[in-house]
Amino acid sequence: MSVTPLAAHLSTRPAAAFRGRIGRDARSGHYAVPRRYRLHLAAADPDCLRIAVTHSLLGLDKACPVTFLPAVPDCPDGGHSALRPLYDASAHRYTGPALAPVLSDDWSGRIVSSHGPDIARDLARHFGGGRPTLYPCGAQSQIEAVERMCALGIEEAAQRAGAADTEEAERTAALDTLLTTLGVLERGLGAHEYLISDQITAADVELWVALVQLDTVHRYHLDAAAVHRIADHPALWAYARRLAAHPAFGAHLDLDAIARRHHARCQGLEAAGAAVQILDWETHAADGSAVRPQVNRP
């Protein structure tokens, strides 16, 4: 499937407190050494879910261990108390929330990065030798285009379409944007198994997580008619089902955790769409995941 890059927009993700990168050699400061780094993830968070799936696709359990955090942060500011020592060690008098995802350096006891997209790219590029090529050569612009489509055309558009405190015209326009984006993806996936290649890439991870969020979070704030229109993309949702059954995807799909995180954070009103589930995610994921990841406190 060919994806046309969209115009540049500001990211809808919150600004990351740390943006260190994994380099190729010792001169970079943070270079790729197996078991030097550790991931700290709350898989109910979409950024963390993307990284968890990427980590599993690459088979990095031994090279880069993962600590799974509770679905709902336990600090009043929305951070995780388990991450506070890392944040305090990494920035003098840091006053912000201790958010996941985090890639930490066990050698120094400090944070390398809390920026989800950078973490996923560095894992694939510097620890992915001999493993699936999630960022194929020459596909960078297409992957970035998918990231923007998901962030703006799906996630942001769905949020605006379900916002109770906005004008109806704005909600309608946002729903149109969402449906247009889904239509573009539907046409592409009607003829291809994956988005931009004949195998799974980072673009598929990005889209799958966006679809999970759309059906398990955003639909609760849309009316039933809107959810039925969203569901009317058979190729797109068949694609979501296939990936859910893949062990690297389904193993990290914790619907209860997503629901608890959503209800703890969301102040919006539920609409009729809450009763219209598009996919039975638990059933489809069951074939690919016998065991869910357990919370493992540092």
Side-chain angles (χ1 to χ4, degrees), residues 17 59 61 82 122 137 153 164 169 171 174 186 191 203 226 231-232 238 258 270 278 282 287-288 291 294:
D61 287 342
D122 286 351
C137 182
R171 294 197 300 272
E186 172 75 11
D232 190 23
I258 292 174
E270 286 194 359
I278 298 174
E282 195 71 44
D287 292 338
V291 180
Q294 300 296 310

Side-chain angles (χ1 to χ4, degrees), residues 139-150:
Q140 184 64 33
S141 63
Q142 287 188 293
I143 292 173
E144 290 175 351
V146 171
E147 290 173 349
R148 288 193 289 271
M149 289 177 73
C150 291

Side-chain angles (χ1 to χ4, degrees), residues 61-280:
D61 287 342
K62 293 182 178 180
C64 183
V66 180
T67 293
F68 284 98
L69 302 164
V72 180
D74 56 351
C75 294
D77 60 3
H80 292 272
S81 60
L83 294 178
R84 177 52 60 180
L86 280 171
Y87 273 80
D88 289 344
S90 306
H92 181 59
R93 294 183 178 178
Y94 177 81
T95 59
L99 301 175
V102 161
L103 177 68
S104 67
D105 179 358
D106 283 351
W107 289 6
S108 67
R110 296 185 177 186
I111 294 172
V112 176
S113 179
S114 57
H115 186 264
D118 285 353
I119 293 172
R121 284 177 169 82
D122 286 351
L123 290 176
R125 289 171 177 167
H126 300 299
F127 291 95
R131 298 180 172 94
T133 305
L134 300 183
Y135 294 86
C137 182
Q140 184 64 33
S141 63
Q142 287 188 293
I143 292 173
E144 290 175 351
V146 171
E147 290 173 349
R148 288 193 289 271
M149 289 177 73
C150 291
L152 302 170
I154 298 179
E155 295 174 12
E156 182 183 286
Q159 288 177 0
R160 290 190 289 110
D165 57 349
T166 58
E167 297 292 332
E168 183 177 355
E170 184 177 345
R171 294 197 300 272
T172 299
L175 180 60
D176 287 344
T177 297
L178 172 60
L179 293 171
T180 297
T181 301
L182 297 180
V184 170
L185 295 165
E186 172 75 11
R187 289 189 291 275
L189 288 169
H192 299 86
E193 188 173 4
Y194 302 114
L195 271 180
I196 64 172
S197 178
D198 58 358
Q199 64 182 24
I200 293 172
T201 68
D204 299 294
V205 177
E206 189 77 24
L207 176 56
W208 185 77
V209 173
L211 294 176
V212 169
Q213 288 290 299
L214 182 57
D215 192 22
T216 63
V217 174
H218 299 309
R219 72 172 168 84
Y220 282 88
H221 306 293
L222 299 169
D223 62 40
V227 178
H228 282 299
R229 293 176 70 188
I230 291 169
D232 190 23
H233 296 85
L236 186 62
W237 294 107
Y239 160 88
R241 282 197 303 272
R242 288 198 310 275
L243 291 183
H246 189 296
F249 291 79
H252 299 291
L253 187 55
D254 189 336
L255 301 179
D256 178 66
I258 292 174
R260 285 187 285 114
R261 179 180 183 274
H262 173 59
H263 292 305
R265 291 163 48 95
C266 183
Q267 303 299 318
L269 300 175
E270 286 194 359
V276 187
Q277 185 179 24
I278 298 174
L279 288 188
D280 183 351

